[in-house]
Amino acid sequence: MLGTREHLVKMRTQLRNRKGAVGKGIAPHAGMIAILQQYIESLTMTMKEIERQLRQKLQEHAPLERAKELLDSIPGVDLLLAVNILIVTTGENRPMNPRSLANYLGICPQERSSGTSLRKRPRSSRLGPPRIRKLLQLAARSVVQHDQRFRR
């Protein structure tokens, strides 16, 4: 479901870009703009339906619903990030090692050195699922922009 939703988001972005290009042309065609707008609205409705089904699936499974509620209590975390984290952690209730999770996601800085002469700045490996890294970055940016405590 998440993969399908991600694909729909890409398609909607393409259609929005195409609609903008048609609107900025020498002779914008109103009929084409209306057709593209209908496609965009259709994709948006389909994405909302997928999100509704995700919520319904979580409500059917009590432990996952509880885990989602705990994740939602974190500023910046919404349905998509919570579900992706639950998928990565396979919804386990046991305590997880934050370092191993960060390493798996590819956000843990890795030291790059060789002997005594080659020492570079630690950087993230960027291995692991890129979708969850993207969602984590978007959540962090959203919190910084909208919450004064985190902005400071």
Side-chain angles (χ1 to χ4, degrees), residues 27-134:
H29 190 269
M32 183 59 67
I33 292 173
I35 290 171
L36 291 172
Q37 184 61 37
Q38 287 176 346
Y39 281 142
I40 292 168
E41 290 170 2
S42 173
L43 289 174
T44 303
M45 294 302 293
T46 306
M47 289 178 352
K48 287 181 181 180
E49 176 62 23
I50 290 174
E51 290 174 9
R52 187 193 64 75
Q53 289 179 9
L54 281 172
R55 285 187 184 91
Q56 182 180 358
K57 289 284 185 191
L58 286 174
Q59 288 174 352
E60 293 172 1
H61 197 274
L64 288 178
E65 177 65 21
R66 177 68 181 137
K68 181 200 161 292
E69 288 174 4
L70 289 173
L71 287 168
D72 280 343
S73 67
I74 301 170
V77 175
D78 64 345
L79 175 71
L80 293 176
L81 181 56
V83 170
N84 274 288
I85 289 175
L86 289 175
I87 288 172
V88 166
T89 61
T90 62
E92 296 183 17
N93 290 332
R94 63 180 172 83
M96 295 194 67
N97 183 358
R99 287 182 182 220
S100 63
L101 180 61
N103 192 27
Y104 172 73
L105 295 176
I107 58 176
C108 182
Q110 301 287 328
E111 181 180 352
R112 300 185 308 162
S113 63
S114 174
T116 58
S117 61
L118 180 63
R119 292 177 193 227
K120 295 186 177 181
R121 237 176 74 195
R123 295 186 182 200
S124 63
S125 64
R126 288 189 238 145
L127 299 175
R131 182 183 310 150
I132 195 163
R133 280 198 314 276
K134 176 184 79 171

Side-chain angles (χ1 to χ4, degrees), residues 9-25:
V9 168
K10 288 179 183 178
M11 287 174 51
R12 186 178 68 174
T13 302
Q14 289 173 350
L15 288 172
R16 284 179 174 169
N17 291 341
R18 184 70 193 143
K19 179 183 159 197
V22 168
K24 292 179 182 177

